[in-house]
């Protein structure tokens, strides 16, 4: 779902950043008996694994594992649905998710903020209604190795079940923690230990054969034999 480059990954397999998932789930109050659905689990199952519910209450689809959500009939309603839908099939996914949501259910999906716009989506939004809440992700999510995405994203929330009371109505912000990069530890500089200076005794030897007169006349400090 990245808009950073013009290239697309097959099946729109853009893994949801873990910090964006964690920031959301801190504000979602799940109930012990909730049945949860992840319609496009992804190859790394990040949202699915992060939802803290028993395994038998968690359902999923993933087209790369031969389970296409759009053709799968679970024969039941779900209390909580959270996903990052493929951008090219977002409208189809959202319609089906709305139809499979329990009366007091909570539907949350990640999408670009500008998904609210576009003339061609006016009938779509008139049909399903606008979400009660749309917390914008800060910072922008990072779907590729090329840095954060080029546009804003938010979690769109339909919450008849009141599981997101910690999130304000309408637009707001969710601040996701940026993973800290461990800084390189600089080794302390070491200096070679200087040995203490020691005074070397100087011995003055008398110079034999030079008299005191010649010694004093030119300022030579050598002592002559005659001086002793």
């Amino acid at each position: 779902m990245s808009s950073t480059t013009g290239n697309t990954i097959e099946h729109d397999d853009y893994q949801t950043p873990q910090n964006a998932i964690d920031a959301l789930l801190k504000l979602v109050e799940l109930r012990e008996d909730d049945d949860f659905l992840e319609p496009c689990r992804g190859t790394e199952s990040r949202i699915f694994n992060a939802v803290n519910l028993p395994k038998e209450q968690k359902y999923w689809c993933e087209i790369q594992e031969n389970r296409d959500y759009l053709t799968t009939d679970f024969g039941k309603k779900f209390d909580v649905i959270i996903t990052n839908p493929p951008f090219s099939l977002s409208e189809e996914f959202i319609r089906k998710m709305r139809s499979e949501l329990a009366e007091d259910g909570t539907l949350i999906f990640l999408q670009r903020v500008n998904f609210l716009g576009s003339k061609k989506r006016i009938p779509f939004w008139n049909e399903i209604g606008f979400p009660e809440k749309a917390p914008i992700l800060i910072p922008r999510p990072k779907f590729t190795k090329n840095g954060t995405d080029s546009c804003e994203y938010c979690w769109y929330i339909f919450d008849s079940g009141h599981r997101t009371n910690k999130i304000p109505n309408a637009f707001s912000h969710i601040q996701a923690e940026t993973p800290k990069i461990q800084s390189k530890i600089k080794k302390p500089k070491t200096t070679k230990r200087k040995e203490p200076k020691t005074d070397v005794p100087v011995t003055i030897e008398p110079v034999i054969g030079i008299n005191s007169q010649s010694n004093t006349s030119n300022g030579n400090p050598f002592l002559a034999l005659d001086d002793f």
Side-chain angles (χ1 to χ4, degrees), residues 39-168:
C40 40
R41 188 170 68 170
T43 53
E44 297 183 18
S45 308
R46 293 183 182 179
I47 294 176
F48 186 85
N49 291 340
V51 170
N52 187 22
L53 285 172
K55 185 178 179 180
E56 59 272 14
Q57 294 170 218
K58 296 167 72 173
Y59 299 78
W60 61 274
C61 281
E62 173 52 51
I63 195 168
Q64 296 182 86
E65 297 181 42
N66 301 316
R67 195 180 293 184
D68 184 355
Y69 174 64
L70 295 178
T71 60
T72 300
D73 181 11
F74 290 97
K76 61 175 288 149
K77 301 280 187 178
F78 295 95
D79 303 299
V80 179
I81 302 175
I82 305 175
T83 195
N84 175 3
F87 184 80
S88 59
L89 296 170
S90 288
E91 291 186 23
E92 292 87 339
F93 265 72
I94 296 166
R95 284 190 181 96
K96 190 169 188 291
M97 290 188 295
R98 290 280 282 162
S99 70
E100 293 180 338
L101 191 64
E103 187 176 348
D104 64 342
T106 301
L107 167 62
I108 305 173
F109 60 91
L110 184 67
Q111 189 51 270
R112 300 173 188 172
V113 173
N114 62 9
F115 189 72
L116 289 168
S118 179
K119 184 177 179 180
K120 69 177 183 179
R121 293 197 192 98
I122 293 176
F124 168 75
W125 288 115
N126 287 337
E127 174 191 342
I128 69 164
F130 287 104
E132 294 96 21
K133 303 177 182 184
I136 300 168
L137 273 170
I138 304 294
R140 294 172 181 172
K142 181 178 180 180
F143 296 105
T144 67
K145 295 179 180 180
N146 299 324
T148 56
D149 206 83
S150 62
C151 65
E152 310 298 338
Y153 283 76
C154 68
W155 290 105
Y156 290 83
I157 302 174
F158 295 88
D159 189 21
S160 298
H162 305 289
R163 292 174 179 83
T164 61
N165 292 330
K166 296 178 182 178
I167 300 175

Side-chain angles (χ1 to χ4, degrees), residues 203-220:
T203 347
I204 301 176
E205 298 289 344
V207 180
I208 300 174
I210 302 177
N211 59 30
S212 60
Q213 184 179 355
S214 60
N215 181 44
T216 56
S217 62
N218 58 13
N220 195 321

